[in-house]
Amino acid sequence: MARALKPLFALIRFGHAVVGLAALCTLIGQAVRAQDSCGAACVFAGPRMASVESSEAELLGPILSGLLGTDISLSVLDWNAMAGANIDLLGLLGDNGTDVTVSDPGQVLNVDLTLLELVEASAAVAQADGDTALVDALNALSLPVGELTQTINLADLITVALTQGALANIDLNVLDLIGGAIQLYNYENVVTTTQPVALNNEILEQFGIGGAEILLQVVEPPHFECGGAGTQFHTSTVRAKVSVDLAGTAVDTSALDATLGPLVGGAVTSEIILGDLDLYFEFGRVDGTILSADPTTKTASVILAPSAIDLFLGGIDDAVFFNRSRPILQSDVDYATIGRLDVALAGGLVQESAGIRVKSFAQSAPPVSETLFFSPPYPRRQSIGDGASSFSDLIGTLARNLDVEVEDSLGNQIGPLIDTTVEPLVGEYVGGLLVDTVSPLLDLTVDPLLGFFGVGIGEAEASVSGVTSICTDYADCPVSGSAPDGVATANYGSPYHFIYETLYLGTTVPDTDAGPLGNATARGDDDSGVDDEDGVTLPALPAGTVQTLEIRVVESGGETGYLQAWVDWNGDGAFGADEQIASDVTAPSSGVIALSVTVPATARAGNSFARFRWSSRAGLDPVQIAPDGEVEDHAVAISGLPRPRLSGQVFTDAGTQGAIAHDGIQSGGETGLGEVTVVIETLDGTVLAVAVTDELGLWSASLPAGYTGAVVLRTAPPKGFIAISETTDGMPEIIPSAPNDGRITLVLAADSDLEGLGIGLVPQPRLSQDSVVYTQSAQITLLSHDYSAGSSGSVSFSVENLSLPSTGAASVALFYDEACDGQTGALVSGPRVVESGDRICLISRVATSSGLPDGAAITYQLVADTALRGIDKAVRLENTDRIIIGRQIGGIVVEKTVENLTQSSGESRFNTAGPADVLLYRIRIVNTGTTAVHDVKVQDMTPPHTRLAGQITRSVQISDGTECTLALPAVVNSGYVGSLKWMCEGEVQPGSTATFEFTARIND
């Protein structure tokens, strides 16, 4: 993924090829100043090719094929796609499924994986970055490496000592990574290299050579290194065997003929027939050390030593060549036959032949270390060595050290001359062949091939692309425990900045922190080391006000700094996007940023925290790692705007025990009502606050901070109650409004604190119940009704909306049932005074005329008009009775009884009780008809002034296959008030019966 970032580290290239790695490095030491030991460099000691030419591309495939023992053949475009691309190491490991949330990043790299897994993970990162060329290249590579099942461990290739989280900043060149991984694979898994690399035939043909190939082995893999002064780095150690086919190479032996002729007394004709010549190379690694890296001046120094190279000619046993545990010694080299010498004497009558065997050894000059100094601008590359050394230097030494052995099989005439004449002249021929043919061949083929491994002859190279700081300044906000609001958990995160003396907050360069220093006061940094949190001056922060904060900043290195800042206004333990008070604010010439901040009116009053970040990287969020600058966390105190506060009581205003009913004042036996919702809203209905009364009916509520204006206070009466009164005087804030509606209108100031606001509720009166009965014409039918008073007042009963099938078909009269035993008493006439809880039993007497046909129906409403005492408010209740002429064909008969369990009164249609008594109610239903009734519903309510005591029928069987189950309440709790309902889904057969029970406790 491309990143537009400033250079942050000393990045080293050495050996024979450029090294590329972008990374941040670890803290070295603790409690030190930035200038002391904060500099660091990141180094990659492995292959690096900025671009690949066609000739190099032809070699790369065979090189890697030889190392792996599998056929890798990629196009020059594929090689260049890898050479020109970088991938993020953290993204790579994440896509590979590695857990990266560890305290030590070294654990992240300690991963065993196959080459295929590495290639596929790299392709996944490339796919996410949209690099299709790299994806294609890696997909092409995945096919040949897919058959390799052995694993490598990335920790053997990469050493990154970083502070936690910095892995996100490590970029690896893809060719570096893949090439290094293949070398590591060869080192760890390939005992013998099975596939030699064929050298370029076109070049061989220039020298008349029929063919050549090279065997490669990684004796020590390359390594990525990051660190400060003293960090050592090196390239691979590579071993090679080059076999050259000299069968087609002609050797001019005329000098040998001219020398031998006089010595043997006749003409001599000789010919050298060449075969294979084997050369062995031990390419030592390039070693280097970072001497210094100054993050303030961005300067660095590096000491380098070129690699030593050993060259052997002759024969070395494979068991020695492929033994990585020790270097190849000169004593390991034996003579090897490279051809034969044919000699003809006496005009060809005498033919003699002898094998030519050779061995030799050469070593490059001892490496001389040199120091390189680097300064901006970066990247900057330097090298040591003049680059003039080449294979020709080593081959020249090899030729001078050549040891030639010609077999003693040339007969009596030539044999005595082998040591004195033949071997020296043949040695000259072979030495000349090495210098004139083999040396330029190696320069043109092997030298660029080995450049991929970062090895060269007599030279070394280093490239610095930037210098970084490894000293860090951490944030101080708490990262655990309770958030300021006391509900959430503190989770402010632990961002850190790398320290530079040219970019920081305040007047003091920050000291380095070994890790997060968060605590409950955000003073962990001040309390540990230097008190460097001096960049921010914080005023008081009252909610709803505009305040100016002063932030002193330093940017003396020529880079622009950007300020980000947040305040946790709501105290939830995190800095939200809507809590940012500064975004990419730059410094004025004075170095003091005057930041105007609007404190939200909704800001939570109390202690909280603020974070200020100053860095050359714009757009930092509250937790990202920053390449430079400083982070300061501060505790802040937010004072809230005044909040209007209201409190009062909800009570029964029914006039009990000597109290005055409906006056809005609790007195006498009028009790508070618990669990009643109190709502405070604007005149247009916007809810500002909601409270629920406690068991004494008391409530309190705070309105939004700073609210002023009119509000309406009301209740949401529980089922069975009506709001009847309210406090109407005693407070100038109360606005006169409609009386006796249970609503109070107030005009509030921001600091209003009003107490004693009362709202009175009373139980609604109740009338039960609707009746449907069957009778015959010319009969009298008595229908019972039951009225309960909820409060003081008077009630009038009447019959209305009488509907008859014909004029005079029936008459209806109302009578009191004084004993509530079904017996008629006095005729109802005029209003009747009632008090809260009074019960009036009524009987409607219906007399039908003779001659009414079956099916004729008489209906009417029994009406109870209750006028509440002392106020202009009435409640109308209605029951509907229906009398049908004829025999009932099918129907449900319901009977309800009550028993006072506390007083053991026995079961009856009516009973008496006192406060706290427990009553048992039974509802019996029976199908008295001759046909089934479908889907019966049984409904009732908890009686006035009672609450469910807990016992209630949950289910009962009424007919085969039909079960009656409790539908209301959905959850049975003692204290429930309201409707009761059972559902009998299915057929209720004739004669079927069921009983439903519940207990209720009379209120104290």
Side-chain angles (χ1 to χ4, degrees), residues 910-987:
F910 67 96
N911 220 315
T912 59
D917 283 357
V918 176
L919 307 177
L920 171 62
Y921 289 88
R922 291 188 178 91
I923 303 171
R924 297 182 179 89
I925 64 171
V926 59
N927 184 355
T928 60
T930 59
T931 60
V933 178
H934 295 267
D935 298 333
V936 174
K937 300 177 184 177
V938 179
Q939 292 182 275
D940 200 356
M941 293 188 69
T942 54
H945 311 296
T946 70
R947 295 173 181 268
L948 197 65
Q951 177 182 338
I952 190 168
T953 300
R954 306 297 181 97
S955 65
V956 63
Q957 195 82 14
I958 193 170
S959 294
D960 290 342
T962 300
E963 185 176 12
C964 301
T965 58
L966 182 67
L968 282 177
V971 178
V972 177
N973 291 319
S974 294
Y976 171 80
V977 175
S979 297
L980 308 174
K981 181 189 291 186
W982 291 266
M983 303 289 294
C984 306
E985 297 182 353
E987 291 185 344

Side-chain angles (χ1 to χ4, degrees), residues 352-669:
E352 296 179 345
S353 181
I356 301 173
R357 304 171 68 219
V358 299
K359 69 176 180 178
S360 186
F361 169 72
Q363 188 177 54
S364 64
V368 178
S369 299
E370 295 185 32
T371 301
L372 303 176
F373 297 92
F374 296 86
S375 60
Y378 295 114
R380 177 161 294 188
R381 183 172 61 202
Q382 299 183 57
S383 62
I384 62 172
D386 56 12
S389 299
S390 65
F391 276 104
S392 60
D393 298 321
L394 279 174
I395 294 297
T397 303
L398 194 71
R400 289 191 296 272
N401 295 336
L402 189 64
D403 188 355
V404 177
E405 184 181 84
V406 177
E407 293 177 344
D408 188 11
S409 59
L410 293 179
N412 294 330
Q413 291 181 288
I414 304 297
L417 302 174
I418 290 177
D419 292 340
T420 59
T421 304
V422 176
E423 286 181 347
L425 287 173
V426 171
E428 290 183 10
Y429 292 146
V430 174
L433 181 67
L434 289 172
V435 172
D436 298 334
T437 301
V438 175
S439 178
L441 168 68
L442 296 179
D443 281 335
L444 294 174
T445 58
V446 177
D447 192 35
L449 180 151
L450 294 175
F452 177 74
F453 297 93
V455 296
I457 301 176
E459 62 179 349
E461 194 173 69
S463 178
V464 175
S465 62
V467 177
T468 189
S469 171
I470 55 175
C471 292
T472 48
D473 176 59
Y474 273 85
D476 301 330
C477 276
V479 295
S480 62
S482 295
D485 65 7
V487 177
T489 299
N491 188 27
Y492 294 105
S494 297
Y496 56 88
H497 292 237
F498 290 89
I499 299 172
Y500 292 86
E501 289 192 345
T502 57
L503 199 73
Y504 55 91
L505 291 165
T507 59
T508 305
V509 179
D511 60 351
T512 186
D513 302 329
L517 297 170
N519 62 22
T521 63
R523 290 188 52 84
D525 197 1
D526 285 344
D527 296 340
S528 174
V530 177
D531 184 359
D532 56 4
E533 306 288 289
D534 60 350
V536 181
T537 302
L538 284 166
L541 298 175
T545 63
V546 178
Q547 301 295 325
T548 298
L549 284 61
E550 290 189 353
I551 300 95
R552 182 173 296 278
V553 298
V554 173
E555 51 178 8
S556 59
E559 295 175 314
T560 300
Y562 298 93
L563 177 70
Q564 325 293 331
W566 299 263
V567 178
D568 183 11
W569 297 122
N570 61 10
D572 67 350
F575 296 116
D578 58 346
E579 294 177 320
Q580 187 164 8
I581 61 173
S583 176
D584 291 342
V585 177
T586 55
S589 58
S590 66
V592 177
I593 298 173
L595 187 64
S596 180
V597 175
T598 299
V599 184
T602 57
R604 174 192 165 276
N607 295 326
S608 192
F609 296 96
R611 173 164 293 164
F612 299 85
R613 307 193 69 183
W614 177 245
S615 172
S616 67
R617 181 172 294 175
L620 283 175
D621 68 20
V623 296
Q624 285 175 301
I625 297 168
D628 50 27
E630 185 178 1
V631 54
E632 287 192 9
D633 287 352
H634 294 272
V636 297
I638 302 170
S639 55
L641 288 176
R643 289 173 174 266
R645 184 179 179 278
L646 307 178
S647 61
Q649 187 176 29
V650 178
F651 55 92
T652 57
D653 195 10
T656 57
Q657 299 181 20
I660 299 174
H662 317 138
D663 61 352
I665 300 173
Q666 183 190 16
S667 60

Side-chain angles (χ1 to χ4, degrees), residues 42-363:
C42 286
V43 183
F44 174 37
R48 179 69 169 95
M49 305 180 77
S51 62
V52 180
E53 297 179 358
S54 297
S55 59
E56 293 170 328
E58 294 174 0
L59 291 171
L60 277 179
I63 289 174
L64 303 183
S65 298
L67 291 176
L68 296 175
T70 188
D71 185 20
I72 292 179
S73 179
L74 301 183
S75 70
V76 66
L77 294 178
D78 290 335
W79 289 121
N80 275 319
M82 286 190 280
N86 295 327
I87 61 174
D88 176 70
L89 179 60
L90 184 60
L92 171 68
L93 296 176
D95 280 290
N96 193 46
T98 303
D99 179 12
V100 298
T101 56
V102 294
S103 59
D104 177 10
Q107 299 175 28
V108 178
L109 301 173
N110 193 19
V111 176
D112 291 321
L113 74 170
T114 65
L115 286 179
L116 178 61
E117 289 172 333
L118 177 63
V119 170
E120 288 180 340
S122 302
V125 178
Q127 184 71 50
D129 290 344
D131 191 340
T132 56
L134 179 57
V135 172
D136 293 341
L138 292 171
N139 286 341
L141 181 61
S142 67
L143 295 176
V145 301
E147 63 191 54
L148 305 175
T149 58
Q150 294 98 326
T151 63
I152 61 173
N153 191 292
L154 290 181
D156 296 333
L157 181 65
I158 305 171
T159 298
V160 183
L162 302 172
T163 45
Q164 185 177 1
L167 283 177
N169 295 280
I170 300 178
D171 291 329
L172 295 181
N173 174 267
V174 179
L175 191 56
D176 293 350
L177 177 66
I178 298 301
I182 289 175
Q183 292 180 66
L184 179 62
Y185 182 91
N186 175 267
Y187 172 75
E188 293 186 345
N189 298 296
V190 181
V191 178
T192 59
T193 306
T194 58
Q195 186 170 327
V197 178
L199 300 181
N200 191 301
N201 285 330
E202 293 182 1
I203 296 176
L204 300 177
E205 290 171 358
Q206 298 177 22
F207 299 94
I209 295 176
E213 61 183 21
I214 184 169
L215 273 173
L216 294 169
Q217 183 188 32
V218 178
V219 177
E220 182 180 13
H223 210 83
F224 298 80
E225 295 280 354
C226 277
T231 298
Q232 296 179 338
F233 50 89
H234 61 81
T235 60
S236 329
T237 300
V238 180
R239 187 174 292 171
K241 175 184 179 182
V242 178
S243 298
V244 183
D245 181 3
L246 300 174
T249 304
V251 179
D252 182 3
T253 59
S254 58
L256 179 61
D257 295 344
T259 301
L260 290 176
L263 295 176
V264 299
V268 176
T269 302
S270 63
E271 182 180 10
I272 294 179
I273 308 299
L274 296 174
D276 290 341
L277 179 146
D278 291 336
L279 293 169
Y280 297 86
F281 297 87
E282 185 98 324
F283 292 88
R285 69 192 194 187
V286 174
D287 287 303
T289 303
I290 300 173
L291 295 180
S292 66
D294 190 327
T296 299
T297 62
K298 303 294 192 296
T299 57
S301 61
V302 172
I303 186 169
L304 288 178
S307 64
I309 299 178
D310 292 337
L311 174 60
F312 305 93
L313 172 63
I316 298 176
D317 188 86
D318 281 351
V320 174
F321 180 80
F322 290 109
N323 183 358
R324 296 183 174 95
S325 65
R326 69 175 182 85
I328 297 175
L329 304 176
Q330 188 174 352
S331 59
D332 294 324
V333 183
D334 199 359
Y335 288 101
T337 300
I338 64 168
R340 74 176 189 274
L341 173 63
D342 292 340
V343 179
L345 305 173
L349 295 177
V350 178
Q351 300 279 344
E352 296 179 345
S353 181
I356 301 173
R357 304 171 68 219
V358 299
K359 69 176 180 178
S360 186
F361 169 72
Q363 188 177 54

